[in-house]
Amino acid sequence: MEYAIIFLPLLGAIVGYLGRSTTRYFSEIITSFFISVSAVLSVFVFYKGINNDIYGNYKIFEWISSGAFKANWSINIDPLSSIMLVVVTLISALVHIYSIGYMSHDPHKPRFMSYLSLFTFSMLALVVSDNFLQLFFGWEGVGLCSYLLIGFWYKRETANNAAIKAFIVNRVGDFGLAIGIFIIFYYFGTINFDEVFQLTPQFIDKKISFFGFESSLITLICIFLFIGAMGKSAQFLLHTWLPDAMEGPTPVSALIHAATMVTAGVFLVVRCSPLFEFSQTALNLVTIVGMITAIFAASVALVQNDIKKIVAYSTCSQLGYMFFAAGVGAYHVAMFHLFTHAFFKALLFLGSGSVIHAFKDEQDIRNMGGVRKKLPFTYVFMLIGTLALTGFPFLSGFYSKDAIIEFAYLSNSLLGNYAAIIGISTAFLTSIYSWRLFFKTFHGDYNNKTLSIKETHESPLVMLLPLFFLAIGAIFCGFLFKEILIGHHSNDFWKTSVFFLEEIKHDDIPIWFLLLTPCLVVLAIPLSYYYFISNTKILDSFKNTNLPLYNFLLNKWYIDELYDVIIVAPLKKIGSFFWKKGDLGTIDRFGPDGISKLVKFVSNKAGKFQTGFIYDYAFVMLIGLSILLTYLIIN
């Protein structure tokens, strides 16, 4: 069963791609069926773990054995990997089914469905790994698949640029992860998780010199691992690829943001909790970066107009929540939010895709509005997703997001208190931009000048059915799994898959603190409706003032422009210099161009002797004989 969960998506990717020339819906059906079977089996494995405590490590084969270096290809099923299996396969199955309708008019559907399945397989290989090398294989696999899917519409220059950007930015993070793995093997002599984590206490006081600075070995390893997590999970400074990734088809965005790719970084930090728990410096760094990412992405989302980019920045912000939860030591709460977030974020992305489908590929929310009666099912599903994302009481986001803020508050540290304040502020901003998207999309006046409202239409059943199941998850998964994943007896579930050096007690929380975030979230609803629908002149006048705040947020804190000035532009100048002076001016000039010109010159001159007259040929022979005799006499 465990083997089927992992390899059915790979089989679907291969068969779906090779079978693209068979019947019309062959690739869509075969890939969706295999992923769906994998999802059902994943739920069964998760259920067995909860009820019967059945886990195990299933060795497939010995991958590498060279001296002390050994790495197996295994399927490691423990509580952490079992919950990730459910998230990855279930969301992926719904995205596959949704894609049948969304991509129905695309001529390259088989390739798309094959890429989706390969993406899923890569993520599954990552989460069930029992060593850093297999994890790195899956890590690079999801990076490759994201490149293929973001640039799926390769005839668009913007899609190609976005794919390249995602690939390059992730290489920065991947380089950090690779260095961390190298250091682990150099000092620990192994890359297997269990062996590394068992040896970790022996290296607590170990100091090493790194570029002239003395540092704790554990801290250095954790920082490099976290750099890898920052790139994959789009944390501040390595986040720039995520909004541009919206150039890919909407189902890709849902899969990247809800189940694969960006969740890999959170999974890595939680998986390596036995390392991070012994480095307060690394945990502080995780907390700080998570806090900055959460507030940064939420502030930028306030003013974006592309419906998918708003949801993308929302993902970035929610990942910040997960990281600062891990940073304060609440790893299980970070995973709980990852679990609930998968449902409502996939719901929001696929719901946005339904809106885009209805508006014939329009993505600007300023060109929407007034279609709640034309798109009744999409309207309800987007409403549920928005309520869950904002943390409205008793929906899934309420249980997980508020738990993160509460655990940060209970961590009894100055940084934890700052994280709680940032978490509350971000929750309020999240509610503002989420309701802005919802109201401007469905309420108010119809603003599209090129498409009549009569031409908008509800999505087909094959697209609405996945939204229904995601809506069920967005409503109930927080309530149903709160006690199991973060309750007082949650250790009975997590066991040794998550390590706590000092567990945070989830009690003695003031009532005012418990009510603060939900009250702000609810208050944001009438405020958003008033400013974005009822009285838009106030915000319009604010935009027209000379205050730089609006442009600062609209331009995403100018991070891309900063990178362009300090990295991209200088590298382009250096590359241009070596290309013009090196390649063209030296190599080409004296190499292929120089030789070819000389050959051409000599052949042109020699061609003049090819006249067909005997005396010309005799003259050439005489000259050749003279040169030969001269050479022999001289030597």
Side-chain angles (χ1 to χ4, degrees):
M1 182 168 59
E2 289 77 10
Y3 295 92
I5 293 173
I6 307 305
F7 291 107
L8 277 177
L10 178 61
L11 181 62
I14 297 170
V15 175
Y17 187 80
L18 296 178
R20 63 188 185 277
S21 58
T22 56
T23 57
R24 183 180 178 187
Y25 288 105
F26 176 81
S27 296
E28 293 95 313
I29 292 172
I30 200 71
T31 53
S32 300
F33 174 73
F34 282 166
I35 291 290
S36 299
V37 172
S38 184
V40 172
L41 294 176
S42 296
V43 172
F44 186 61
V45 166
F46 183 57
Y47 176 81
K48 283 200 309 179
I50 293 175
N51 285 277
N52 303 320
D53 195 25
I54 298 176
Y55 299 105
N57 190 306
Y58 307 90
K59 178 180 174 181
I60 300 175
F61 59 86
E62 187 177 80
W63 191 9
I64 298 174
S65 179
S66 177
F69 185 82
K70 296 184 184 301
N72 295 327
W73 188 282
S74 302
I75 300 175
N76 180 40
I77 305 295
D78 65 356
L80 180 58
S81 61
S82 69
I83 196 170
M84 287 299 296
L85 287 178
V86 172
V87 169
V88 175
T89 56
L90 199 57
I91 301 301
S92 180
L94 294 173
V95 169
H96 273 73
I97 296 168
Y98 178 92
S99 299
I100 296 174
Y102 190 86
M103 301 294 289
S104 59
H105 301 297
D106 194 286
H108 305 292
K109 295 186 295 293
R111 179 165 60 90
F112 179 78
M113 302 299 288
S114 177
Y115 287 170
L116 285 183
S117 292
L118 185 61
F119 203 174
T120 306
F121 165 73
S122 298
M123 188 66 187
L124 292 175
L126 188 159
V127 300
V128 300
S129 57
D130 70 349
N131 62 79
F132 282 100
L133 188 63
Q134 185 181 334
L135 180 141
F136 194 73
F137 171 87
W139 195 272
E140 293 302 306
V142 294
L144 170 63
C145 293
S146 69
Y147 170 80
L148 295 173
L149 285 166
I150 293 169
F152 179 76
W153 287 320
Y154 56 87
K155 293 183 180 179
R156 297 181 185 177
E157 186 178 357
T158 52
N160 287 326
N161 291 339
I164 292 170
K165 186 176 184 180
F167 198 76
I168 292 175
V169 173
N170 270 275
R171 295 289 70 70
V172 177
D174 295 354
F175 183 66
L177 175 60
I179 292 176
I181 295 173
F182 294 156
I183 296 174
I184 288 172
F185 179 70
Y186 183 80
Y187 285 96
F188 288 74
T190 180
I191 55 169
N192 292 317
F193 291 142
D194 290 342
E195 295 174 3
V196 170
F197 299 155
Q198 288 173 8
L199 292 171
T200 299
Q202 301 177 21
F203 292 89
I204 295 174
D205 299 321
K206 176 72 174 177
K207 304 287 183 181
I208 62 172
S209 180
F210 189 78
F211 285 104
F213 296 95
E214 189 176 64
S215 172
S216 164
L217 173 64
I218 302 298
T219 297
L220 196 64
I221 290 171
C222 290
I223 288 174
F224 277 117
L225 293 179
F226 180 57
I227 290 173
M230 284 177 65
K232 201 63 72 183
S233 292
Q235 292 301 281
F236 186 66
L237 297 181
L238 292 179
H239 69 277
T240 53
W241 67 270
L242 194 62
D244 291 358
M246 298 304 99
E247 288 293 334
T250 301
V252 174
S253 304
L255 195 57
I256 289 176
H257 287 250
T260 61
M261 189 77 170
V262 296
T263 60
V266 180
F267 171 80
L268 175 65
V269 172
V270 175
R271 172 62 81 195
C272 296
S273 56
L275 284 167
F276 280 87
E277 278 292 277
F278 290 104
S279 174
Q280 190 58 47
T281 302
L283 286 175
N284 290 343
L285 177 63
V286 174
T287 305
I288 292 169
V289 172
M291 289 162 49
I292 295 173
T293 305
I295 197 72
F296 155 75
S299 67
V300 172
L302 287 171
V303 298
Q304 298 301 307
N305 297 309
D306 186 309
I307 187 171
K308 287 173 64 177
K309 285 193 176 182
I310 296 172
V311 185
Y313 276 110
S314 169
T315 300
C316 203
S317 181
Q318 297 306 305
L319 288 165
Y321 271 105
M322 298 175 206
F323 275 109
F324 78 65
V328 299
Y331 304 101
H332 57 321
V333 186
M335 286 304 301
F336 181 44
H337 192 50
L338 185 153
F339 179 66
T340 60
H341 174 264
F343 290 97
F344 59 73
K345 187 50 56 71
L347 177 60
L348 284 170
F349 261 116
L350 298 185
S352 299
S354 183
V355 173
I356 294 167
H357 183 75
F359 278 91
K360 299 189 185 303
D361 298 329
E362 176 61 67
Q363 295 185 199
D364 194 324
I365 60 174
R366 293 172 298 183
N367 298 326
M368 298 178 184
V371 292
R372 64 184 183 279
K373 294 181 180 179
K374 291 288 291 182
L375 311 174
F377 295 108
T378 301
Y379 177 81
V380 171
F381 293 140
M382 287 291 285
L383 176 61
I384 293 170
T386 301
L387 289 169
L389 170 62
T390 57
F392 193 83
F394 310 116
L395 272 77
S396 60
F398 166 74
Y399 293 101
S400 58
K401 186 192 294 183
D402 282 28
I404 290 176
I405 297 171
E406 291 161 14
F407 272 82
Y409 174 77
L410 293 169
S411 64
N412 293 320
S413 66
L414 181 62
L415 202 56
N417 292 333
Y418 284 136
I421 294 170
I422 292 294
I424 294 169
S425 304
T426 302
F428 181 68
L429 295 180
T430 301
S431 193
I432 293 289
Y433 71 68
S434 297
W435 289 111
R436 171 179 176 260
L437 182 153
F438 182 78
F439 289 139
K440 290 183 77 67
T441 301
F442 294 103
H443 289 263
D445 298 326
Y446 184 78
N447 298 310
N448 197 299
K449 307 300 181 186
T450 60
L451 185 72
S452 168
I453 191 171
K454 295 180 180 179
E455 296 180 72
T456 60
H457 56 86
E458 187 60 274
S459 298
L461 182 62
V462 73
M463 292 174 63
L464 293 176
L465 194 61
L467 295 178
F468 171 76
F469 287 111
L470 290 170
I472 297 297
I475 295 171
F476 295 111
C477 70
F479 171 76
L480 292 176
F481 291 96
K482 178 187 176 184
E483 187 59 34
I484 296 172
L485 300 182
I486 64 170
H488 290 290
H489 302 289
S490 58
N491 281 344
D492 294 339
F493 170 74
W494 293 108
K495 295 182 172 57
T496 59
S497 63
V498 176
F499 179 76
F500 301 99
L501 197 60
E502 184 177 346
E503 189 176 356
I504 302 171
K505 298 297 181 182
H506 193 208
D507 46 25
D508 298 328
I509 307 171
I511 295 296
W512 66 267
F513 189 81
L514 289 173
L515 295 176
L516 179 58
T517 305
C519 288
L520 288 174
V521 164
V522 174
L523 177 63
I525 300 175
L527 284 176
S528 299
Y529 189 85
Y530 177 75
Y531 284 111
F532 298 122
I533 299 297
S534 298
N535 194 350
T536 59
K537 293 181 181 179
I538 297 175
L539 291 178
D540 290 337
S541 61
F542 174 76
K543 294 176 187 178
N544 295 327
T545 61
N546 293 324
L547 295 174
L549 179 60
Y550 176 73
N551 287 326
F552 179 71
L553 297 179
L554 188 64
N555 289 283
K556 302 159 288 188
W557 292 22
Y558 294 101
I559 301 296
D560 282 283
E561 288 77 5
L562 180 64
Y563 282 165
D564 189 62
V565 171
I566 65 175
I567 298 176
V568 178
L571 286 177
K572 280 185 176 180
K573 288 181 179 179
I574 294 172
S576 177
F577 171 81
F578 281 107
W579 173 55
K580 290 179 180 178
K581 300 295 183 181
D583 282 10
L584 296 180
T586 305
I587 298 174
D588 287 356
R589 180 183 175 189
F590 296 104
D593 288 349
I595 294 173
S596 63
K597 285 182 179 180
L598 178 62
V599 171
K600 186 178 181 180
F601 173 79
V602 172
S603 62
N604 287 337
K605 295 298 183 183
K608 293 181 178 180
F609 292 102
Q610 305 297 320
T611 62
F613 295 109
I614 294 177
Y615 55 80
D616 284 330
Y617 296 140
F619 178 67
V620 171
M621 294 171 63
L622 182 61
I623 291 175
L625 181 61
S626 301
I627 293 172
L628 178 62
L629 290 173
T630 303
Y631 173 78
L632 292 173
I633 292 171
I634 292 174
N635 289 280

